[in-house]
Amino acid sequence: MADLAYAFSKRHLLGIEGLNRLDIEDLLNLGDRYVELNRRRVKRADILAGRTLLNLFFDNSTRTQSSFEIAGRRLGADVVTMQVATSSVKKGETLVDTAITLNAMKPDLLVIRHASSGAVKLLSRKVDCGVINAGDGSHEHPTQALLDALTIRRRLGDIGGLRVAICGDVLHSRVARSNVALLNILGAEVRLIAPRTLTPPGAAGWGASLFTDMRKGLEGCDVVMMLRLQQERMDGAYLPSAREFFHFYGLDDEKLACAKPGALIMHPGPMNRGVEIESGVADHKDRSLITEQVEMGVAIRMAVLERLAAAAPVTEPAP
Ligand code: ASP
């Protein structure tokens, strides 16, 4: 039941850490409404008319960047995406100077992706507008966890009591961190399944049970969330080979059969077919939620933009 005294009041979305259950449920409920809007022929709401959304991607992205752009445009905002590859950052400007420069252009919302954990938080302290973390290093990717929760909730209802497995390259995954945090808040049982070399040292304290044996870890799971093997973040020998990784940790029909009958399959994308997931499993007609996750991504980002724009301080000139 909705709490009538509740109002979303966060200025930034830097991670799931810092949100409470009411914040998450509020964003999911609003996300649900935007799913309906996005399925109409005319997908417009003018809630952000006259506001400026700046997308600042210091690190690669296809779906998250376009998802935020579409979300901002559907809400009527002026959306600008900074081409970081051609910006002053490449000419030696520091991160903080970039933030101060952009702040002077008076954006209302800044969406930032950066390869270093903590960089988005640092930038949020230097600007006056609301900041959304679109992924910082291996730290957090809050809108991914929110869109995953929306996808699960629309299929299975209440997330409390579900058993969810998150499998693969947990070590390098901001998606795993944000999802464990969010699923814990909503009362799911979370299992992390990874080889020891790809299990983060502190994972035992995250509030999830740890498994190295995928078949055991998948037992009784309602949802199986696969992670991409993030080879670009690997600077050492974490794995003997991608082939061996698939043998032990790749999701195929045989391993999937260890989960609950009908268990749902998720992946944040981009997928490495044949490395962490078998093609046929990824494309499973009823059980794979992978394209639904992309659809939910736009809706949840619209919800986040609406809430943060409402919380952003508006500086009107004195009369
Ligand atoms: N797209 C997700 C991220 O940005 C997952 C991935 O890249 O593997 O973290």
Side-chain angles (χ1 to χ4, degrees), residues 131-145:
V131 171
I132 299 161
N133 181 2
D136 63 326
S138 54
H139 178 229
E140 279 236 37
H141 191 356
T143 55
Q144 177 73 47

Side-chain angles (χ1 to χ4, degrees), residues 63-64 113 134 141 144 174-175 228 230 232-233 267-270:
R63 78 199 63 215
T64 306
R113 168 168 288 192
H141 191 356
Q144 177 73 47
R174 50 196 173 213
V175 174
R228 183 173 64 88
Q230 307 213 354
E232 78 278 16
R233 294 188 203 281
H267 192 302

